[in-house]
């Protein structure tokens, strides 16, 4: 396999359409949308109100704009390299990234290595974790000829943005972030580090260093996108760029329509709880995990996420893998019971992910390739972040 990477980004240093291009877009007619595209608003449960509902409605509108003008979006998103990506990640966000890339948006994927240190003293087996993450990205279809995979630690210009950005938020704002509060509650550290409190601002630097204007995320990341918008707005107000133009776009969050997949024990699917089916799991491991999955005492299989969360999550997993409606999948299994349900799920997962797993094995056999992809990605991200930092220096009058 060669490691030749071509097609540099067309507009290094400037987000597509320039800063604030998000405000100027006309909304497209709904029928212009790609029928395969998710409609996040279709999934809004009636009980959801406030900022989540707003974000879902806004996401639906953005999906329509993506269908019309994908090239006006620069996407930045990423993951902490703390373990194997699993099917919850895949259906929650990973496949969305590839869909957007394939639709023609610019995609930056960040391996958030510094962020691992928010809730632990030392990042374990970091080299191995990072390599595994890059293999996962490539296996699911992130295309290094079009998209950029990079790591925090390789882009000093990104990290330097943290300093002015920290001056734009108050201590109270940092302490009120609900996702940070939750992570503090579950942290394995005795006391809270400065990084834990400030990492959302660092995340703003991730996004704004490359002038990302769209951030596909799960609900838990919405507060961080809000911090990013706040930082962008305050920076633009305080430091007008050359000719009075705003330096930064105010990025939007893009929520995925995929409902939540539970782990095999009925809890939140999480790599650290041993209840997750990894993307890279073998067919046998998958079968074993699903065989041990929790169900309930009722024989007839139905799709009722509120009343029967464990059974419904298995039905949902099969349905997602088969691109089918979960209620129809459940009806088909019906009196076949849990045993038939588990057979269906195992087959569906293994069939759906066989090509991804085969591709991953191929890539893993040539570790030099993935390393080169990451190195090239870091270089490309660095060029973009360096151009942004130059603009920031100019705007702040730090030119000596
Ligand atoms: N916080 C994200 C996570 O825990 C990872 C992340 C880091 C990220 N920087 C980001 C996500 C920027 C979106 C945008 O998974």
């Amino acid at each position: 396999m060669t490691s030749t990477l071509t097609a540099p980004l067309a507009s290094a240093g400037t987000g597509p359409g320039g800063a604030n291009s998000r405000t100027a877009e006309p909304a497209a007619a709904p029928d212009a949308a790609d029928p395969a595209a998710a409609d996040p608003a279709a999934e809004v449960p009636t009980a959801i109100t406030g900022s989540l509902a707003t974000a879902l409605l806004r996401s639906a509108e953005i999906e329509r704009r993506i269908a019309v003008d994908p090239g006006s979006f620069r996407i930045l998103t990423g993951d902490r390299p703390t373990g194997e990506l699993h099917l919850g990640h895949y259906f929650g966000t990973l496949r969305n990234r590839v869909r957007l890339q394939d639709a023609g948006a610019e995609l930056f994927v960040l391996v958030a290595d510094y962020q691992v240190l928010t809730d632990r003293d030392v990042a374990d087996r970091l080299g191995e974790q990072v390599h595994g993450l890059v293999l996962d990205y490539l296996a699911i279809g992130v295309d290094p000829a079009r998209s950029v995979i990079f790591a925090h630690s390789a882009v000093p210009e990104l990290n330097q943005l943290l300093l002015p950005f920290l001056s734009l938020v108050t201590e109270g704002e940092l302490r009120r972030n609900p996702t940070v509060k939750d992570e503090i509650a579950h942290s394995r550290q005795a006391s809270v580090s400065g990084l834990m409190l400030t990492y959302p601002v660092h995340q703003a630097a991730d996004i704004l260093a490359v002038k990302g204007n769209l951030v596909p995320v799960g609900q838990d990341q919405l507060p961080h996108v809000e911090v990013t918008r706040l930082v962008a707005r305050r920076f633009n107000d305080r430091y007008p760029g050359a000719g009075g133009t705003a330096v930064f776009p105010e990025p939007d969050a893009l929520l995925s329509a995929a409902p939540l997949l539970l782990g095999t024990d009925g809890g939140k699917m999480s790599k650290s709880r041993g209840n997750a089916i990894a993307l890279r799991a073998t067919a046998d491991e998958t079968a074993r995990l699903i065989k041990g999955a929790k169900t309930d005492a009722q024989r007839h299989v139905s799709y009722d996420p509120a009343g029967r969360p464990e059974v419904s999550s298995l039905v949902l997993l099969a349905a997602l893998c088969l691109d089918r409606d979960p209620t129809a999948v459940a009806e088909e299994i019906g009196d076949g019971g849990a045993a038939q349900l588990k057979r269906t799920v195992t087959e569906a997962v293994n069939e759906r992910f066989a090509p991804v797993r085969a591709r991953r094995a191929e890539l893993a056999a040539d570790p030099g390739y993935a390393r080169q992809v990451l190195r090239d990605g870091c270089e490309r991200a660095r060029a973009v972040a360096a151009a942004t930092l130059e603009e920031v220096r100019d705007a702040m009058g730090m030119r000596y």
Side-chain angles (χ1 to χ4, degrees), residues 76-80 110 112 115 203 206-207 215 217 221:
L76 181 292
T77 183
D79 305 278
R80 301 178 188 188
L110 170 67
Q115 211 179 92
Q203 197 156 316
D206 300 340
I207 297 164
V215 190
V217 285
Q221 299 291 304

Side-chain angles (χ1 to χ4, degrees), residues 76-82 89 93 97 108 110-113 115 118 152 179 183 199-200 202-207 214-218 220-221 224-225 228 271:
L76 181 292
T77 183
D79 305 278
R80 301 178 188 188
T82 52
H89 295 128
T93 151
R97 301 177 193 173
F108 284 73
L110 170 67
V111 176
D113 52 2
Q115 211 179 92
T118 51
H152 271 148
T179 298
E183 283 171 336
Y199 89 82
H202 191 223
Q203 197 156 316
D206 300 340
I207 297 164
L214 190 63
V215 190
V217 285
D220 64 317
Q221 299 291 304
H224 302 348
V225 179
T228 305
K271 44 204 170 191

Side-chain angles (χ1 to χ4, degrees), residues 77-86 89 94 97 109-113 116 125-140 142 149-151 271 279-280 360 363 370 373-374:
T77 183
D79 305 278
R80 301 178 188 188
T82 52
E84 305 180 337
L85 293 177
H86 53 64
H89 295 128
L94 298 173
R97 301 177 193 173
V109 185
L110 170 67
V111 176
D113 52 2
V116 174
R125 300 181 293 127
L126 196 54
E128 196 185 308
Q129 303 278 23
V130 169
H131 184 67
L133 202 52
V134 175
L135 289 176
D136 282 342
Y137 291 151
L138 295 173
I140 61 163
V142 175
I149 302 173
F150 71 106
K271 44 204 170 191
L279 267 179
R280 68 184 81 161
R360 195 179 187 285
L363 290 159
V373 165
L374 183 58

